[in-house]
């Protein structure tokens, strides 16, 4: 099927709409311009002929507190919010005109619901800015149109996904409705509903106008003192090295002058990588062609909602009395050379690629079959490895901030992200949990790896409209970082997960090995499709909102750990050493717990930001002076070993920034890849390890939260008595070359106890059952230890200052306005997080994390709740309420717990069983 116009010839066999140029013009893209033309015209010609622009629109200042580079959605929003927070000496540099980059060709859609609580909050702020705040402030209209949004479901899984969004929306007061096909037809009479399973209707979704929005933002910012300079390309970034050897931003160079500044914000869209290189900063994104067509007039389409038909990979945006039609395909066209100037002609739109969207659109709105194409719009868009933006301060250069890589969502996320980025610049961190967008989420070995960037960004584009399942894993660019146990675990059926480039064990398949293969681009670009791909087939079976088919395998791993003994490969945990003359001072300031313990001690603690939010939880171990046993004790004067939960780059950057800002004379050494780590947990762990280690493992000789260097099967290892699953057990930190001999010795000794390998799916279940926090789920940078039930990690009874202490003291004096609560559900129903929490019928929050607890045989969830009246959330407030949880529109009675329902007296970790 294809669009047909009354004045157009019939579609040929190739199914390309062959319309006269007067009827089917192409909007040409140029990095220098936006304009409509009937043929490709180099912009360097049209710029001078049409605009007469020869230089910057305003004189360049000598100095600015912040220079924002790029005049699209993110640049204008960031500038506006910097001014809203009180900054006036800020400059925006745009190489051409506002919105002339990737913003001009955006569809401008704004949907309020996404499968992330943070993104729902970011979208809400954008909507508020565009729909009311700017107009009230400036008296100018932004072009906001509230015509509603309609999500199409052609199958049960898709409708289940939408129901999850609807339930989450109730926690935020977002109006939405699941409609039957008949109800959908009443709402949208032109729609074909014969193949529908149902729809989700959000009445207050809408459409933004890119030009109107950015113009109004720039005027509001300039009224507050900002300077917007157009037609001023950046030619260089100056970086200086301070007395401590730290790279810092110095100045921005243009052909028309240099601006001295300590801070630059890279909002350059598809040119962000090029701009980053000027400062020595890696910006891991890739540009791809993205296109849509605009139809001629359609009778009866006026005032209809915007439509997303994810299964057909098409969106339909209302444009007056016409529609814009676009989507995301599995074979997008890479923009291989993002040079300074581009121009498009009509035939630069690959109709063979685009026809799938036209076919989907005609199926959904049959009237389009007799509707002509008025114009096509084609331009570049930037995509990232995980379909999330790149934001925050670059780890390579202090003062160089990113606000780019928005995966076609720059307009809808711009307001929220602009606000957070402004707060980040002024206060050193954002207000919300922006870890998922923070550039530091990627390990430095990946951000300059072209294969990883290209493959993963392609997959993020191709899966843009895929259902977001709880156990999704990428297929692109796998096996980038492997620990010493990888091959032997793969041979035993390990189904790996990818985290931060690492392959870590997810769970163990009973049907033999399922290796991860090289990426096949979903058979696009004539790449031979992987056949008999067991790993991909297993993942496909896991993609459900019910209990996954391998639920019983996870159960067996968990119960083996609870009843006998299991071994976990946790090698991807970050392992850092902190040494130097100021190591003690640094440790006191960095960590919430008092780590001034005797050598051989290990302390569980948190690291905070200035607002008291948790940047990480970790263990800190004091080391004994001893001869060097590389990498177990790299130097005799090493003071502290830090063991961090996986997010090594984020933690590394956070610690380094604190050390730099405080001027501590310390060295941070990363030995993550020099050591493997296995954790042996369960009631039989002591008996097993006593056969492998040459040390007395009794509680008197080796108490909980202690560590020592011992011999394991003839190899030196560091043994720590710790647990992340709530059982008696030990972690073994093992030099790389000793990993396999020690592992084999453990497995041989454990055979008579029925030892099993277990993965992170089991850890997730076991840890939530015990009430342990999970980093970046129920413990995030916008949560304080007091709210998270981790007050015991904070040395509040001492006089030792630490980062974030003042914020905690203020919060404690005021009383907690929100608090984490554990919930259990008696009905055997799967929950995965984002379910709304109701207290006495009123929404008070949502689950951050949920798993099934096999020892107690219940679904367990953790979420932060608030008092609807804005008051303190006390233990009595929790105990006195009747709670329900809503999953996909269905509510379930829930029991609230202020302590873990499993082993609340912590006997098992102490080795007390029976």
């Amino acid at each position: 099927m294809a669009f047909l116009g009354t004045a157009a010839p019939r579609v040929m066999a190739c199914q390309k709409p062959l319309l006269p140029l007067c009827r089917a013009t192409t909007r040409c893209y140029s990095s220098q311009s936006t304009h409509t033309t009937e043929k490709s015209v180099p912009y360097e010609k049209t710029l001078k002929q049409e605009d007469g622009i020869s230089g910057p629109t305003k004189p360049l200042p000598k100095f600015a507190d912040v220079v924002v580079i790029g005049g699209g959605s993110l640049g204008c929003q960031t500038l506006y919010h910097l001014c809203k927070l009180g900054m006036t000496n800020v400059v925006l540099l745009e190489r051409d005109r506002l919105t002339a980059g990737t913003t001009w060709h955006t569809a401008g859609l704004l949907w309020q619901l996404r499968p992330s609580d943070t993104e729902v909050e970011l979208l809400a702020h954008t909507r508020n800015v565009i729909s009311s705040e700017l107009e009230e402030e400036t008296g100018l209209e932004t072009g906001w149109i509230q015509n509603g949004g309609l999500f199409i479901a052609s199958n049960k899984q898709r409708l289940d996904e939408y129901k999850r969004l609807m339930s989450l929306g109730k926690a935020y007061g977002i109006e939405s409705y699941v409609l039957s096909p008949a109800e959908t037809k009443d709402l949208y009479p032109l729609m074909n509903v014969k193949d529908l399973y149902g729809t989700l209707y959000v009445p207050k979704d809408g459409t933004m106008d890119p030009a109107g929005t950015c113009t109004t933002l720039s005027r509001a910012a300039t009224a507050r003192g900002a300077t917007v300079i157009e037609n001023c390309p950046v030619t260089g970034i100056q970086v200086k090295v301070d007395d401590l050897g730290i790279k810092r931003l110095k100045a921005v160079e243009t052909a028309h002058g240099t601006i001295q500044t300590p801070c630059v914000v890279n909002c350059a869209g598809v040119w962000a990588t090029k701009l980053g290189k000027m400062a020595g900063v890696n910006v891991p994104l890739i540009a791809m062609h993205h296109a849509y067509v605009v139809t001629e007039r359609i009778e009866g389409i006026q005032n209809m909602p915007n439509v997303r038909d994810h299964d057909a990979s098409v969106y339909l945006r209302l444009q007056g009395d016409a529609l814009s039609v676009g989507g995301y395909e599995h074979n997008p066209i890479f923009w291989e050379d993002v040079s300074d100037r581009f121009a498009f002609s009509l035939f630069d739109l690959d109709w063979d690629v685009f026809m799938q969207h036209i076919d989907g659109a005609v199926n959904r709105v049959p009237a389009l079959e007799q509707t002509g194409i008025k114009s096509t719009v084609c331009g570049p868009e930037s995509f990232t490895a995980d379909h999330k933006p790149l934001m925050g301060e670059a780890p390579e250069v202090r003062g160089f901030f990113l606000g780019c890589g928005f995966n076609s969502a720059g307009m809808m996320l711009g307001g929220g992200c602009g606000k957070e980025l402004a707060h980040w610049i002024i206060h050193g961190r954002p207000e919300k949990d922006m870890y998922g967008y923070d550039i530091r989420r990627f390990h430095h070995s990946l951000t300059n790896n072209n294969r990883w960037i290209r493959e993963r960004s392609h997959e993020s584009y191709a899966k843009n409209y895929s259902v977001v399942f709880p156990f999704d894993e990428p297929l692109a660019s796998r096996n980038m970082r492997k620990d010493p146990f990888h091959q032997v675990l793969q041979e035993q059926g390990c189904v790996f997960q990818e985290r931060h480039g690492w392959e870590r064990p997810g769970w163990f398949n009973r049907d033999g090995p399922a290796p991860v293969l090289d990426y096949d681009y979903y058979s696009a670009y004539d790449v031979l499709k992987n056949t008999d791909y067991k790993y991909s087939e297993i993942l496909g079976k896991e993609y459900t909102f019910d209990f996954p088919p391998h639920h019983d395998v996870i159960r067996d791993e968990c119960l083996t750990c609870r009843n006998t003994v299991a071994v976990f490969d946790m090698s991807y945990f970050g392992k850092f050493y902190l040494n130097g003359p100021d190591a003690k001072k640094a440790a006191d300031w960095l960590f919430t717990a008092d780590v001034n313990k005797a050598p051989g001690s290990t302390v569980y603690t948190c690291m905070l930001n200035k607002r008291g939010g948790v940047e990480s939880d970790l263990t800190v171990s004091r080391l004994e002076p001893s001869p060097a046993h590389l990498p177990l004790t790299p130097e005799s004067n090493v003071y502290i070993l830090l063991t961090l939960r996986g997010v090594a780059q984020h933690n590394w950057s956070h610690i380094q920034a604190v050390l730099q800002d405080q001027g501590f004379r310390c060295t941070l050494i990363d030995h993550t890849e020099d050591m493997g780590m296995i954790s042996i947990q369960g009631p039989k762990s002591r008996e097993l390890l006593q056969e492998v280690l040459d040390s007395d493992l009794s509680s008197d000789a080796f108490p909980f939260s202690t560590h020592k260097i011992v011999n394991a099967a003839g190899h030196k290892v560091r043994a720590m008595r710790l647990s992340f699953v709530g059982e008696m057990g030990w972690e073994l930190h093992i030099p790389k070359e000793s990993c396999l001999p020690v592992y084999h010795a453990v497995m041989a000794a454990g055979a008579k106890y029925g030892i099993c390998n277990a993965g992170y799916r089991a850890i997730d279940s076991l840890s939530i059952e015990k009430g342990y926090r999970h980093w970046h789920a129920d413990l995030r940078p916008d949560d304080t230890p007091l709210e998270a039930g981790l007050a015991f990690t904070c040395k509040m009874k001492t006089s030792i200052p630490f980062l974030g202490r003042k914020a905690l003291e203020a919060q404690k004096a005021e009383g907690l306005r929100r608090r984490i609560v554990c919930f259990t559900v008696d009905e055997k129903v799967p929950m995965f997080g984002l379910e709304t929490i109701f207290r006495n019928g009123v929404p008070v929050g949502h689950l951050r994390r949920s798993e099934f607890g096999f020892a107690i045989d219940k679904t367990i969830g953790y979420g932060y709740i608030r008092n609807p009246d804005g008051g303190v959330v006390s233990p009595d407030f929790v105990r006195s309420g009747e709670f329900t949880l809503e999953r996909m529109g269905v509510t379930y009675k829930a029991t609230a717990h202020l302590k873990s329902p499993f082993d609340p007296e912590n006997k098992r970790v102490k080795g007390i069983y029976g």
Side-chain angles (χ1 to χ4, degrees), residues 391-402 424 438-440 657:
M391 292 180 63
E393 190 173 32
E396 299 96 336
V397 177
R398 301 297 300 273
F400 191 99
F401 283 80
L402 301 177
W424 216 326
D438 192 333
I439 183 61
R440 299 175 300 169

Side-chain angles (χ1 to χ4, degrees), residues 255-276:
H256 309 284
T258 298
I259 304 174
Q260 302 293 317
T261 182
C263 182
V264 157
V265 191
N266 182 353
C267 299
V270 295
W271 294 275
T273 298
K274 181 178 179 180
L275 190 69

Side-chain angles (χ1 to χ4, degrees), residues 490-513:
Q490 179 174 283
E491 292 168 358
Q492 296 179 70
C494 183
V495 179
F496 287 97
Q497 301 173 333
E498 188 275 343
R499 297 294 184 273
H500 319 294
W502 284 105
E503 296 293 321
R504 75 175 194 182
W507 53 282
F508 286 80
N509 177 40
R510 293 167 179 162
D511 298 327

Side-chain angles (χ1 to χ4, degrees), residues 188-360:
Y188 202 122
L190 295 182
M191 182 172 289
N192 167 33
V193 300
K194 293 179 181 179
D195 58 347
L196 292 192
Y197 200 88
T199 59
L200 177 68
Y201 175 50
V202 188
K204 294 182 181 178
D205 285 353
T207 307
M208 299 170 287
D209 172 54
T213 296
C214 290
T215 298
T216 308
L217 286 165
S218 67
R219 290 188 182 182
T222 54
R224 292 173 177 269
T227 302
V228 176
I229 305 175
E230 298 175 281
N231 200 41
C232 188
V234 171
T235 57
I237 304 289
Q238 294 181 15
V239 175
K240 63 183 179 181
V241 180
D242 66 15
D243 294 338
L244 298 175
I246 301 163
K247 292 182 178 179
R248 297 186 182 275
L249 212 293
K250 180 181 178 183
V252 175
E253 299 173 349
T254 77
H256 309 284
T258 298
I259 304 174
Q260 302 293 317
T261 182
C263 182
V264 157
V265 191
N266 182 353
C267 299
V270 295
W271 294 275
T273 298
K274 181 178 179 180
L275 190 69
K277 287 180 180 178
M278 295 180 184
V281 170
N282 293 323
V283 182
L285 58 79
I286 200 161
M288 298 184 194
H289 292 213
H290 188 61
Y292 60 86
V293 299
V294 182
T295 74
E296 294 181 331
R297 185 176 185 277
I298 305 169
E299 183 64 37
I301 205 71
Q302 296 87 341
N303 302 319
M304 290 295 100
N306 301 314
V307 174
R308 254 187 171 177
D309 190 339
H310 292 93
D311 295 313
S313 189
V314 67
Y315 62 78
L316 308 173
R317 172 195 185 271
L318 186 69
Q319 193 153 323
D321 58 3
L323 289 177
S324 296
V325 178
Y328 299 86
E329 52 280 344
H330 281 183
N331 55 339
I333 301 171
F334 288 96
W335 203 298
E336 300 292 357
D337 180 21
V338 184
S339 56
D340 288 342
R341 289 179 171 86
F342 305 99
F344 267 109
S345 68
L346 171 62
F347 300 103
D348 283 317
L349 176 58
D350 190 327
W351 287 103
D352 290 330
V353 172
F354 196 79
M355 281 303 300
Q356 60 186 286
H357 308 312
I358 291 180
D359 291 344

Side-chain angles (χ1 to χ4, degrees), residues 48 125 147 185 213 243 450 604 752 764 817:
K48 295 178 181 177
H125 183 72
N147 60 314
K185 186 73 172 180
T213 296
D243 294 338
N450 290 332
Y604 174 70
K752 58 178 169 291
D764 290 341
R817 303 291 167 168

